[in-house]
Amino acid sequence: MPVVTVTSQNEIAIVRVNNPPVNALSHAVRSELFEACESLDKDDTIKAVVLICDGRTFIAGADIREFNQAPKEPHLPDVINRIEMSTKPWIAAVHGTALGGGCEVTLGCHYRVAVKSAKFGLPEVHLGLIPGAGGTVRLPRLIGIESAISMVTTGKPISASEAHQNGLVDAVAPDGELEAFAISFTRSKMTASLPIAISRRPVTDVPDDKTSKEILAGVSAKARGQLSPVEAAASVLDSGKLDVVEAFSSERERFVQLKESEQSAALRHVFFSERQTSKIGKLEGIKTRNVQSCGVIGGGTMGAGIASAMLLAGYEVIMIERDEEAASAGAQRVAKTLDGSLSRGLISQEKRDAMGEAFSTSTQYEALTATDLVVEAVFEDMKVKKQVFRKLCDVCRPDAILATNTSYLNVNEIAASATNPERVLGLHFFSPAHIMKLVEIIETETVSDETLATGFAIAKKLRKVPVLSGVCDGFIGNRILANYRKQCDYMLEDGASPQDIDTAMRNFGMAMGPFEMQDMAGLDIGWANRKRLAPTRDPKERYVKIADRICELGRFGQKTEAGWYQYPEGSRKGIPDPVVEEIIAEERKAAGIVPRSFTMAEIQSRILQAMVSEGQKILDEGIARSAADIDMVFILGYGFPRWRGGPMFAGGVRDT
Ligand code: 3H9
């Protein structure tokens, strides 16, 4: 079956790409596009060409799956150069997303029209790459250096109207009328002479050397260790200074080098892994339940976050709290989040109003008699959780799905306290729940496939990445985190300071260091958990008491203006604290330890090894399905750098 077909309408050829799911530029697409260009140039009955795509989107880029194979001719830059050199005008007609190589194909065309909902982007940086088919050379010649650098370094797509404003798009068509609009646009250009090819135009805003250096320094600071954004900016800047042939070859060299890099391998692993987490063999074809309404038990930070996430995804939400005061505080937290989304332009006023209508609070569990799903987010205490589940079983429909948001507790035990335990599962959200992309879906011994499949469907509607986890203390994420922290505590007692460890891990690429993160999240939850585990702890295991002693002083992190660091007057920037230094010194002395220094590399390597060894145990026990799932948990839930591919990938553990 051809992936590119050519038809004609009164001297206009329609070149149509049909390569589902996203019309990626596979070898077949490239070859057939090249052939189409050759034969249309020779066809005297054709005066102009419309390039359009079938399916849900315009070309979404090079075929990423082919990056692991030896490249085959025709290469994409040659196809695009061939289109640009055509003797007849090519008009790209774009719907969906023209991304990466897809966007570069449009730059080889002589004009671009797009429907209102279309988007244009060069997201190669997210794959550890730069545009490799002329994007960094043609884009600055069309829209200027500054806009081009923004597009290639952030990878963020821009809307058709923005693209129209900056000159990337020549005309915007109403949604649903692309083909007719493109044909009529083409007809209006048929008699005009061909515009100068973009690659032959000058770059008009080349910055001087000093400004170029500042631009690169700014991009590098934001990239925090990732190479591709810096290389992408450098390629755009160079293309303004070099002759166009040299600019193409310099871009290509950078692209090929990055394609072979560990960072690009890691980011490609992340791209595919993110899409694999919800592909669970046994759930394929299982019918999911229709969930429209959701009860949330608890209006604290987590409960309010979950309620907000549910509202933003279009669910009706009833929040249950113990009294009117707590219910009103919970409602205020939800309102603050939704108003924040409104003020940042993420939702319209109309949507905000609809969410207000869809949300209610109650102090009575009886308000949940008709809800399809309930998520419990109360205090981390087994007794309290069981009480909640018993109440829910009394009032909810016998088939209502009941979920716990526990971070550590045994969900099998919680399910056993419920009637119809096949409807009980864990939905472990991460704070702030309306933003964080991860949900761990906890599979109990008794949960039905229908309930599990519905859990995955809910996560999809919430636009989150679900990762399946078996039951164990802390599931995938918090169990590995506990081991990570233990390793930090050992190094702390052995001689490293909280600042040494935080700096090392920030330099590794983590969003935050472990002690800063604890201060932000609150030290009290971890303390309560350590107390819960104390009776079953192996007395022979090394136990560092520093964190407990800090908590005993009521220092729970930013919220109490003191934790591992001090935060004078509510500041969010912690400063080292002599009180903590003294506790550390005392504990070292009590343990008979002579403190030694740690290099940054040693800290990073010990922490990574601790994560990998616990991750391997989790795999061996069947708690996680794959190393890739563990990687996704850490990247999406704990700020592990994407460009390292996740802890397992970085530690050399790959799925076969
Ligand atoms: C590039 O272009 C380099 C050039 O500059 C130079 C070359 C020389 N290739 O995301 P979805 C698959 S680099 C192969 O769930 P959505 C995806 O794996 C590329 N496969 O859908 C999934 O497969 P499965 C620059 C691809 O509607 C299926 O399509 N371009 C590709 O939520 C559906 O994907 C990009 O980085 C691909 N390029 O989102 C764009 N893209 O069903 C990457 C997708 O087996 N793609 N697949 O799991 C995207 O951002 C989103 O897929 C898109 C659709 C927005 C297009």
Side-chain angles (χ1 to χ4, degrees):
M1 279 285 283
V3 283
V4 176
T5 50
V6 182
T7 53
S8 67
Q9 254 186 53
N10 299 332
E11 301 185 313
I12 295 178
I14 319 281
V15 173
R16 196 179 298 277
V17 180
N18 182 8
N19 184 30
V22 297
N23 291 316
L25 290 154
S26 62
H27 177 246
V29 174
R30 297 195 308 274
S31 312
E32 292 176 32
L33 264 181
F34 196 90
E35 273 167 33
C37 204
E38 292 272 292
S39 64
L40 289 170
D41 258 2
K42 289 181 204 137
D43 187 340
D44 292 338
T45 65
I46 294 300
K47 298 278 182 287
V49 183
V50 170
L51 173 63
I52 197 162
C53 292
D54 276 347
R56 64 205 223 214
T57 180
F58 191 78
I59 299 164
D63 190 330
I64 305 167
R65 287 164 309 185
E66 287 185 1
F67 285 172
N68 295 333
Q69 303 158 12
K72 276 204 264 178
E73 287 182 345
H75 303 304
L76 188 57
D78 302 330
V79 177
I80 296 174
N81 287 341
R82 182 65 193 82
I83 293 174
E84 192 178 52
M85 289 305 123
S86 167
T87 51
K88 297 155 190 183
W90 277 59
I91 287 82
V94 177
H95 76 292
T97 42
L99 297 179
C103 184
E104 289 171 300
V105 167
T106 74
L107 295 172
C109 293
H110 304 92
Y111 299 99
R112 286 146 296 281
V113 299
V115 281
K116 259 181 161 165
S117 56
K119 290 196 165 138
F120 290 75
L122 289 163
E124 284 86 346
V125 278
H126 300 314
L127 297 168
L129 300 169
I130 66 165
T136 65
V137 180
R138 291 192 177 91
L139 200 59
R141 287 170 164 75
L142 189 63
I143 65 172
I145 292 263
E146 195 182 329
S147 303
I149 287 185
S150 162
M151 280 184 77
V152 299
T153 57
T154 64
K156 259 196 215 150
I158 59 171
S159 66
S161 71
E162 201 181 326
H164 191 208
Q165 271 164 26
N166 72 18
L168 175 48
V169 159
D170 298 290
V172 179
D175 279 331
E177 293 172 29
L178 181 62
E179 190 163 338
F181 183 91
I183 289 173
S184 134
F185 178 91
T186 303
R187 212 163 286 292
S188 73
K189 302 288 176 196
M190 258 160 52
T191 49
S193 53
L194 273 181
I196 299 172
I198 295 174
S199 67
R200 301 293 168 241
R201 299 181 200 175
V203 184
T204 53
D205 57 346
V206 183
D208 60 30
D209 284 353
K210 183 168 167 275
T211 314
S212 296
K213 270 194 193 138
E214 283 165 7
I215 292 172
L216 286 176
V219 173
S220 171
K222 273 203 194 134
R224 306 186 57 237
Q226 191 180 336
L227 301 174
S228 52
V230 186
E231 290 294 316
S235 191
V236 170
L237 288 166
D238 282 355
S239 103
K241 291 171 194 152
L242 297 173
D243 148 72
V244 72
V245 176
E246 283 170 1
F248 278 137
S249 87
S250 151
E251 176 196 77
R252 188 77 190 158
E253 214 172 288
R254 281 194 163 99
F255 172 82
V256 171
Q257 245 178 31
L258 285 171
K259 188 158 81 84
E260 302 307 321
S261 70
E262 185 66 11
Q263 287 198 5
S264 178
L267 284 161
R268 272 140 51 192
H269 158 73
V270 173
F271 178 86
F272 288 113
S273 302
E274 220 166 11
R275 288 162 175 80
Q276 286 304 315
T277 63
S278 52
K279 294 189 175 130
I280 313 285
K282 70 169 181 168
L283 300 183
E284 251 169 53
I286 299 281
K287 202 167 172 308
T288 58
R289 296 268 291 283
N290 179 17
V291 174
Q292 304 213 341
S293 55
C294 169
V296 176
I297 313 295
T301 309
M302 208 60 215
I306 295 170
S308 307
M310 290 282 175
L311 287 163
L312 287 162
Y315 291 98
E316 269 172 47
V317 176
I318 304 173
M319 177 186 277
I320 305 291
E321 259 294 1
R322 62 183 181 282
D323 55 36
E324 291 297 344
E325 202 184 327
S328 146
Q332 275 172 31
R333 286 188 193 102
V334 170
K336 197 173 163 202
T337 302
L338 300 181
D339 290 342
S341 297
L342 175 68
S343 65
R344 287 200 304 279
L346 301 174
I347 52 170
S348 63
Q349 182 65 54
E350 198 187 348
K351 269 206 166 160
R352 169 69 186 90
D353 294 344
M355 285 173 205
E357 300 266 300
F359 178 65
S360 58
T361 61
S362 176
T363 55
Q364 306 298 318
Y365 276 64
E366 283 70 19
L368 302 176
T369 47
T371 46
D372 304 315
L373 160 78
V374 181
V375 184
E376 154 294 297
V378 298
F379 188 65
E380 283 286 273
D381 180 304
M382 183 57 93
K383 248 187 63 216
V384 179
K385 301 258 185 206
K386 282 185 178 172
Q387 270 168 14
V388 168
F389 268 74
R390 275 194 291 269
K391 277 196 216 161
L392 290 175
C393 290
D394 287 344
V395 299
C396 292
R397 286 193 337 245
D399 65 339
I401 292 178
L402 306 181
T404 170
N405 178 54
T406 180
S407 312
Y408 292 96
L409 299 178
N410 187 331
V411 189
N412 286 331
E413 203 180 322
I414 296 175
S417 72
T419 50
N420 307 343
E422 67 279 2
R423 58 169 164 166
V424 176
L425 81 168
L427 288 180
H428 181 214
F429 290 84
F430 289 73
S431 189
H434 67 292
I435 289 177
M436 298 295 282
K437 293 275 282 177
L438 177 68
V439 185
E440 282 180 321
I441 304 220
I442 316 302
E443 179 176 17
T444 65
E445 288 160 354
T446 43
V447 68
S448 69
D449 286 351
E450 189 194 31
T451 303
L452 262 192
T454 306
F456 277 89
I458 292 165
K460 188 171 176 200
K461 193 165 167 193
L462 292 168
R463 303 177 82 178
K464 297 199 183 288
V465 176
V467 175
L468 189 66
S469 170
V471 175
C472 67
D473 208 282
F475 318 120
I476 298 174
N478 280 341
R479 176 165 157 186
I480 295 179
L481 185 72
N483 224 38
Y484 168 169
R485 286 193 179 155
K486 207 187 280 179
Q487 204 52 236
C488 295
D489 287 351
Y490 292 165
M491 287 190 281
L492 198 62
E493 201 175 50
D494 287 341
S497 69
Q499 304 87 282
D500 291 338
I501 298 175
D502 282 341
T503 308
M505 293 321 286
R506 258 188 281 110
N507 284 346
F508 181 79
M510 297 291 286
M512 283 178 135
F515 297 105
E516 297 163 327
M517 189 164 92
Q518 289 178 54
D519 273 359
M520 192 193 71
L523 270 59
D524 41 343
I525 301 170
W527 190 32
N529 200 42
R530 289 195 296 280
K531 285 195 260 188
R532 177 178 66 84
L533 293 174
T536 53
R537 190 176 297 128
D538 179 356
K540 286 194 246 85
E541 193 187 320
R542 179 176 178 188
Y543 186 74
V544 178
K545 297 195 197 99
I546 300 170
D548 293 348
R549 286 197 52 197
I550 288 174
C551 290
E552 281 159 16
L553 297 176
R555 300 171 62 111
F556 296 142
Q558 287 185 15
K559 61 186 168 189
T560 57
E561 297 190 359
W564 288 103
Y565 298 94
Q566 48 176 303
Y567 301 85
E569 289 163 21
S571 141
R572 295 202 167 187
K573 176 117 193 64
I575 49 176
D577 192 333
V579 176
V580 172
E581 282 162 16
E582 202 177 310
I583 292 175
I584 294 173
E586 283 170 11
E587 287 303 315
R588 283 175 186 157
K589 201 165 162 203
I593 291 168
V594 179
R596 69 171 179 94
S597 62
F598 284 79
T599 63
M600 206 178 276
E602 185 182 3
I603 293 172
Q604 294 168 343
S605 145
R606 276 193 45 179
I607 289 178
L608 183 63
Q609 279 319 309
M611 294 173 92
V612 172
S613 78
E614 196 64 26
Q616 188 61 57
K617 281 186 205 154
I618 281 175
L619 274 179
D620 296 343
E621 291 167 25
I623 298 291
R625 283 184 326 141
S626 64
D629 274 8
I630 298 177
D631 287 334
M632 288 309 100
V633 166
F634 264 82
I635 287 173
L636 301 172
Y638 298 84
F640 196 93
R642 284 177 87 88
W643 55 269
R644 288 194 189 265
M648 303 307 276
F649 189 92
V653 183
R654 318 266 159 104
D655 298 311
T656 43

